[in-house]
Amino acid sequence: MTDTSRTLLLMRHSEATYGGGADHARTLTSRGRDDSRAAGRWLAEHVGGLDLAVVSSATRTRQTWEAATEGGAQAASVDLSDEVYDAGLDELLALLTHLPDEARTVLVLGHAPGIPALANTIASEDGPRDMAEALDRGFPTTTLCRFEVEGDWLDVGAATADLVDVVVRQD
């Protein structure tokens, strides 16, 4: 990584319950908690501490982050965001371009279809074929993508980030 490099992690929340009640209040299943802890272990082992985690305010995303921290994930700052909850591609791109300059390693934890759309949009076309193929196979719950970004957050847009890891839970 160079002095201008940044690391962006995009993650879809873990498996949640369905039915009965408001979507925003859906909770994780026991499998979802286990998957979240596994994602937290991966983050701790492969990324280390985060400068910032931007987490949707929905219950299932907050629980995903909490369980990830049980697995070892750490962030200097956590921002619970109502905007990420129902964000589409344009809103998520705007969020990225307004991240604080001092944040070098950032996780955005949200929902489909926004997070998968963002991952597919910002991934550069010259990245490793196996990474692109992993994105093409879909974005199930607990999928985590790591991107390397050269330059400022303000410059993130279509095909501007190098996809270096796609971690998908195993069935």
Side-chain angles (χ1 to χ4, degrees):
M1 239 166 64
T2 67
D3 289 344
T4 60
S5 292
R6 300 172 191 284
T7 299
L8 174 65
L9 298 124
L10 299 178
M11 183 175 177
R12 183 177 173 200
H13 66 80
S14 293
E15 183 180 84
T17 59
Y18 284 96
D23 181 71
H24 196 272
R26 288 174 47 208
T27 59
L28 292 186
T29 63
S30 61
R31 178 189 175 141
R33 288 187 182 281
D34 291 343
D35 291 345
S36 297
R37 282 190 284 277
R41 283 191 297 278
W42 187 91
L43 285 166
E45 292 170 12
H46 294 91
V47 178
L50 307 170
D51 296 315
L52 174 63
V54 181
V55 179
S56 162
S57 61
T59 301
R60 62 190 175 276
T61 45
R62 288 184 290 115
Q63 289 178 340
T64 296
W65 175 248
E66 289 165 9
T69 63
E70 293 168 11
Q74 298 177 26
S77 180
V78 178
D79 177 12
L80 296 179
S81 172
D82 290 334
E83 290 79 29
V84 173
Y85 169 63
D86 202 19
L89 176 60
D90 291 341
E91 292 89 357
L92 290 170
L93 276 170
L95 176 127
L96 292 184
T97 62
H98 289 87
L99 289 171
D101 286 337
E102 62 274 7
R104 308 297 285 184
T105 304
V106 175
L107 167 74
V108 179
L109 174 53
H111 309 268
I115 292 293
L118 181 61
N120 279 296
T121 297
I122 68 171
S124 65
E125 307 213 352
D126 58 354
R129 179 183 295 273
D130 61 330
M131 293 295 112
E133 288 172 355
L135 274 184
D136 289 343
R137 285 193 293 271
F139 216 99
T141 56
T142 321
T143 296
L144 181 60
C145 295
R146 176 169 52 173
F147 293 89
E148 295 300 329
V149 176
E150 284 297 326
D152 297 326
W153 293 119
L154 186 61
D155 300 324
V156 176
T160 59
D162 293 326
L163 179 62
V164 293
D165 283 305
V166 178
V167 181
V168 181
R169 68 156 202 207
Q170 301 297 310
D171 286 323

